[in-house]
Amino acid sequence: MEQMVSNVQKKTFLRWILDRHLLTNREIIWLLHYLMSNDQLLGIIHIVDDVARCNRSITIAAPRNDGLVFRYIKATVETNDPEKAFHDLRMNQQEDVYLELDIEAVRRSPIYFSVLEENPNSAIDVHEKYGHMAEHATNEAERIFITERLNQAINEALDNGDETLFYTLTKQLNEVKKNNLK
């Protein structure tokens, strides 16, 4: 099954990462900005959970003890230099590129699952592997959204002195919280 993740979705996802300052390396940040600004290039980028056996791939990781935060592979050539990757990406905008983000905060986010695609070389279907986690992340995002809206409405009811609405909304908020504990 082939997925279609739009450039708008990919840009939103990359912007989400940059806005949260999850990356500290200037060259990697610059490379992501370049990807977002080039629709043709962004169209060949596929966000996957594992780049194993991909002919052309980028891995971006959270800083670790080994210091490795960036890896670009094209066939048998590998580099840790984002600038070299940039030059190859700029010159070759036809061959697919698979992007793996090995960052815990990213992999726990609902937006990650919205852009995740299949690695064509993987035997495991991404939906089978992450379907439950994606459903949980979506439910959690919905619960947070409802809770925030109810809290806002409760505050407005208090500001307006509407005691009946306050109690009704508080009861709804308690139900949401109670259902979350189950």
Side-chain angles (χ1 to χ4, degrees), residues 53-71:
R53 297 179 303 283
C54 290
N55 189 47
R56 194 168 175 214
S57 67
I58 299 171
T59 302
I60 300 173
R64 303 190 239 272
N65 295 341
D66 62 9
L68 181 65
V69 295
F70 183 86
R71 183 175 68 202

PDB file of all heavy atoms in Angstrom, residues 53-71:
ATOM      1  N   ARG A  53      18.589  -0.616   4.634  1.00  0.00           N
ATOM      2  CA  ARG A  53      18.569  -1.099   3.254  1.00  0.00           C
ATOM      3  C   ARG A  53      18.016  -0.085   2.246  1.00  0.00           C
ATOM      4  O   ARG A  53      17.625  -0.442   1.149  1.00  0.00           O
ATOM      5  CB  ARG A  53      17.824  -2.432   3.156  1.00  0.00           C
ATOM      6  CG  ARG A  53      18.492  -3.560   3.939  1.00  0.00           C
ATOM      7  CD  ARG A  53      17.763  -4.889   3.872  1.00  0.00           C
ATOM      8  NE  ARG A  53      16.384  -4.869   4.307  1.00  0.00           N
ATOM      9  CZ  ARG A  53      15.970  -4.840   5.571  1.00  0.00           C
ATOM     10  NH1 ARG A  53      16.857  -4.803   6.540  1.00  0.00           N
ATOM     11  NH2 ARG A  53      14.691  -4.855   5.866  1.00  0.00           N
ATOM     12  N   CYS A  54      17.956   1.185   2.630  1.00  0.00           N
ATOM     13  CA  CYS A  54      17.552   2.227   1.681  1.00  0.00           C
ATOM     14  C   CYS A  54      18.789   2.714   0.947  1.00  0.00           C
ATOM     15  O   CYS A  54      19.838   2.930   1.550  1.00  0.00           O
ATOM     16  CB  CYS A  54      16.888   3.403   2.397  1.00  0.00           C
ATOM     17  SG  CYS A  54      15.267   3.010   3.059  1.00  0.00           S
ATOM     18  N   ASN A  55      18.680   2.883  -0.357  1.00  0.00           N
ATOM     19  CA  ASN A  55      19.818   3.293  -1.177  1.00  0.00           C
ATOM     20  C   ASN A  55      20.282   4.711  -0.842  1.00  0.00           C
ATOM     21  O   ASN A  55      21.462   5.013  -0.915  1.00  0.00           O
ATOM     22  CB  ASN A  55      19.437   3.197  -2.657  1.00  0.00           C
ATOM     23  CG  ASN A  55      20.629   3.392  -3.558  1.00  0.00           C
ATOM     24  OD1 ASN A  55      21.681   2.797  -3.323  1.00  0.00           O
ATOM     25  ND2 ASN A  55      20.476   4.220  -4.574  1.00  0.00           N
ATOM     26  N   ARG A  56      19.343   5.559  -0.469  1.00  0.00           N
ATOM     27  CA  ARG A  56      19.669   6.962  -0.187  1.00  0.00           C
ATOM     28  C   ARG A  56      18.892   7.376   1.064  1.00  0.00           C
ATOM     29  O   ARG A  56      17.667   7.359   1.069  1.00  0.00           O
ATOM     30  CB  ARG A  56      19.257   7.812  -1.382  1.00  0.00           C
ATOM     31  CG  ARG A  56      19.805   9.202  -1.401  1.00  0.00           C
ATOM     32  CD  ARG A  56      19.551   9.806  -2.781  1.00  0.00           C
ATOM     33  NE  ARG A  56      19.946  11.193  -2.816  1.00  0.00           N
ATOM     34  CZ  ARG A  56      19.334  12.121  -3.516  1.00  0.00           C
ATOM     35  NH1 ARG A  56      18.284  11.810  -4.252  1.00  0.00           N
ATOM     36  NH2 ARG A  56      19.754  13.355  -3.508  1.00  0.00           N
ATOM     37  N   SER A  57      19.634   7.743   2.109  1.00  0.00           N
ATOM     38  CA  SER A  57      18.949   8.014   3.374  1.00  0.00           C
ATOM     39  C   SER A  57      19.663   9.065   4.214  1.00  0.00           C
ATOM     40  O   SER A  57      20.857   9.297   4.077  1.00  0.00           O
ATOM     41  CB  SER A  57      18.818   6.727   4.182  1.00  0.00           C
ATOM     42  OG  SER A  57      20.094   6.275   4.593  1.00  0.00           O
ATOM     43  N   ILE A  58      18.854   9.669   5.087  1.00  0.00           N
ATOM     44  CA  ILE A  58      19.350  10.618   6.080  1.00  0.00           C
ATOM     45  C   ILE A  58      18.872  10.127   7.432  1.00  0.00           C
ATOM     46  O   ILE A  58      17.695   9.784   7.590  1.00  0.00           O
ATOM     47  CB  ILE A  58      18.783  12.035   5.849  1.00  0.00           C
ATOM     48  CG1 ILE A  58      19.198  12.587   4.493  1.00  0.00           C
ATOM     49  CG2 ILE A  58      19.202  12.976   6.978  1.00  0.00           C
ATOM     50  CD1 ILE A  58      18.495  13.893   4.119  1.00  0.00           C
ATOM     51  N   THR A  59      19.773  10.093   8.397  1.00  0.00           N
ATOM     52  CA  THR A  59      19.396   9.797   9.774  1.00  0.00           C
ATOM     53  C   THR A  59      19.801  10.990  10.616  1.00  0.00           C
ATOM     54  O   THR A  59      20.947  11.434  10.571  1.00  0.00           O
ATOM     55  CB  THR A  59      20.101   8.524  10.299  1.00  0.00           C
ATOM     56  OG1 THR A  59      19.770   7.432   9.446  1.00  0.00           O
ATOM     57  CG2 THR A  59      19.670   8.218  11.724  1.00  0.00           C
ATOM     58  N   ILE A  60      18.829  11.513  11.363  1.00  0.00           N
ATOM     59  CA  ILE A  60      19.084  12.604  12.300  1.00  0.00           C
ATOM     60  C   ILE A  60      18.715  12.079  13.676  1.00  0.00           C
ATOM     61  O   ILE A  60      17.604  11.593  13.885  1.00  0.00           O
ATOM     62  CB  ILE A  60      18.254  13.856  11.956  1.00  0.00           C
ATOM     63  CG1 ILE A  60      18.611  14.358  10.550  1.00  0.00           C
ATOM     64  CG2 ILE A  60      18.472  14.945  13.001  1.00  0.00           C
ATOM     65  CD1 ILE A  60      17.721  15.486  10.044  1.00  0.00           C
ATOM     66  N   ALA A  61      19.672  12.165  14.594  1.00  0.00           N
ATOM     67  CA  ALA A  61      19.458  11.629  15.934  1.00  0.00           C
ATOM     68  C   ALA A  61      19.667  12.713  16.981  1.00  0.00           C
ATOM     69  O   ALA A  61      20.336  13.716  16.739  1.00  0.00           O
ATOM     70  CB  ALA A  61      20.419  10.461  16.183  1.00  0.00           C
ATOM     71  N   ALA A  62      19.101  12.460  18.144  1.00  0.00           N
ATOM     72  CA  ALA A  62      19.356  13.352  19.284  1.00  0.00           C
ATOM     73  C   ALA A  62      20.817  13.149  19.697  1.00  0.00           C
ATOM     74  O   ALA A  62      21.355  12.048  19.564  1.00  0.00           O
ATOM     75  CB  ALA A  62      18.427  12.993  20.433  1.00  0.00           C
ATOM     76  N   PRO A  63      21.465  14.195  20.169  1.00  0.00           N
ATOM     77  CA  PRO A  63      22.869  14.046  20.594  1.00  0.00           C
ATOM     78  C   PRO A  63      23.021  12.942  21.636  1.00  0.00           C
ATOM     79  O   PRO A  63      22.204  12.807  22.536  1.00  0.00           O
ATOM     80  CB  PRO A  63      23.201  15.419  21.197  1.00  0.00           C
ATOM     81  CG  PRO A  63      22.233  16.358  20.556  1.00  0.00           C
ATOM     82  CD  PRO A  63      20.981  15.557  20.330  1.00  0.00           C
ATOM     83  N   ARG A  64      24.056  12.124  21.440  1.00  0.00           N
ATOM     84  CA  ARG A  64      24.316  11.008  22.348  1.00  0.00           C
ATOM     85  C   ARG A  64      25.792  11.009  22.728  1.00  0.00           C
ATOM     86  O   ARG A  64      26.561  11.840  22.289  1.00  0.00           O
ATOM     87  CB  ARG A  64      24.040   9.677  21.667  1.00  0.00           C
ATOM     88  CG  ARG A  64      22.703   9.453  21.108  1.00  0.00           C
ATOM     89  CD  ARG A  64      22.647   7.965  20.719  1.00  0.00           C
ATOM     90  NE  ARG A  64      22.371   7.754  19.315  1.00  0.00           N
ATOM     91  CZ  ARG A  64      21.160   7.667  18.822  1.00  0.00           C
ATOM     92  NH1 ARG A  64      20.135   7.803  19.586  1.00  0.00           N
ATOM     93  NH2 ARG A  64      20.984   7.457  17.542  1.00  0.00           N
ATOM     94  N   ASN A  65      26.143  10.003  23.495  1.00  0.00           N
ATOM     95  CA  ASN A  65      27.537   9.859  23.923  1.00  0.00           C
ATOM     96  C   ASN A  65      28.485   9.684  22.743  1.00  0.00           C
ATOM     97  O   ASN A  65      29.607  10.185  22.761  1.00  0.00           O
ATOM     98  CB  ASN A  65      27.682   8.669  24.879  1.00  0.00           C
ATOM     99  CG  ASN A  65      26.933   8.896  26.169  1.00  0.00           C
ATOM    100  OD1 ASN A  65      26.613  10.025  26.514  1.00  0.00           O
ATOM    101  ND2 ASN A  65      26.645   7.821  26.879  1.00  0.00           N
ATOM    102  N   ASP A  66      28.039   8.952  21.707  1.00  0.00           N
ATOM    103  CA  ASP A  66      28.926   8.723  20.561  1.00  0.00           C
ATOM    104  C   ASP A  66      29.034   9.960  19.664  1.00  0.00           C
ATOM    105  O   ASP A  66      29.844   9.987  18.737  1.00  0.00           O
ATOM    106  CB  ASP A  66      28.490   7.499  19.752  1.00  0.00           C
ATOM    107  CG  ASP A  66      27.098   7.630  19.137  1.00  0.00           C
ATOM    108  OD1 ASP A  66      26.508   8.735  19.180  1.00  0.00           O
ATOM    109  OD2 ASP A  66      26.607   6.623  18.609  1.00  0.00           O
ATOM    110  N   GLY A  67      28.216  10.985  19.939  1.00  0.00           N
ATOM    111  CA  GLY A  67      28.316  12.237  19.195  1.00  0.00           C
ATOM    112  C   GLY A  67      27.665  12.222  17.824  1.00  0.00           C
ATOM    113  O   GLY A  67      27.524  13.250  17.198  1.00  0.00           O
ATOM    114  N   LEU A  68      27.265  11.042  17.332  1.00  0.00           N
ATOM    115  CA  LEU A  68      26.693  10.935  15.995  1.00  0.00           C
ATOM    116  C   LEU A  68      25.268  11.474  15.988  1.00  0.00           C
ATOM    117  O   LEU A  68      24.392  10.949  16.662  1.00  0.00           O
ATOM    118  CB  LEU A  68      26.694   9.469  15.533  1.00  0.00           C
ATOM    119  CG  LEU A  68      26.153   9.201  14.133  1.00  0.00           C
ATOM    120  CD1 LEU A  68      27.059   9.851  13.094  1.00  0.00           C
ATOM    121  CD2 LEU A  68      26.060   7.721  13.882  1.00  0.00           C
ATOM    122  N   VAL A  69      25.038  12.557  15.269  1.00  0.00           N
ATOM    123  CA  VAL A  69      23.701  13.125  15.188  1.00  0.00           C
ATOM    124  C   VAL A  69      23.201  13.195  13.745  1.00  0.00           C
ATOM    125  O   VAL A  69      22.029  13.429  13.514  1.00  0.00           O
ATOM    126  CB  VAL A  69      23.623  14.536  15.825  1.00  0.00           C
ATOM    127  CG1 VAL A  69      23.879  14.468  17.310  1.00  0.00           C
ATOM    128  CG2 VAL A  69      24.543  15.511  15.149  1.00  0.00           C
ATOM    129  N   PHE A  70      24.075  12.974  12.776  1.00  0.00           N
ATOM    130  CA  PHE A  70      23.684  13.076  11.378  1.00  0.00           C
ATOM    131  C   PHE A  70      24.434  12.028  10.554  1.00  0.00           C
ATOM    132  O   PHE A  70      25.638  11.834  10.726  1.00  0.00           O
ATOM    133  CB  PHE A  70      24.017  14.466  10.824  1.00  0.00           C
ATOM    134  CG  PHE A  70      23.584  14.660   9.398  1.00  0.00           C
ATOM    135  CD1 PHE A  70      22.299  15.074   9.106  1.00  0.00           C
ATOM    136  CD2 PHE A  70      24.466  14.409   8.351  1.00  0.00           C
ATOM    137  CE1 PHE A  70      21.891  15.240   7.788  1.00  0.00           C
ATOM    138  CE2 PHE A  70      24.073  14.568   7.034  1.00  0.00           C
ATOM    139  CZ  PHE A  70      22.774  14.992   6.750  1.00  0.00           C
ATOM    140  N   ARG A  71      23.680  11.375   9.655  1.00  0.00           N
ATOM    141  CA  ARG A  71      24.325  10.425   8.734  1.00  0.00           C
ATOM    142  C   ARG A  71      23.565  10.463   7.411  1.00  0.00           C
ATOM    143  O   ARG A  71      22.341  10.398   7.390  1.00  0.00           O
ATOM    144  CB  ARG A  71      24.290   9.015   9.316  1.00  0.00           C
ATOM    145  CG  ARG A  71      25.027   8.019   8.418  1.00  0.00           C
ATOM    146  CD  ARG A  71      25.109   6.656   9.035  1.00  0.00           C
ATOM    147  NE  ARG A  71      23.761   6.103   9.068  1.00  0.00           N
ATOM    148  CZ  ARG A  71      23.363   5.140   9.874  1.00  0.00           C
ATOM    149  NH1 ARG A  71      24.188   4.622  10.739  1.00  0.00           N
ATOM    150  NH2 ARG A  71      22.134   4.688   9.825  1.00  0.00           N
TER     151      ARG A  71
END
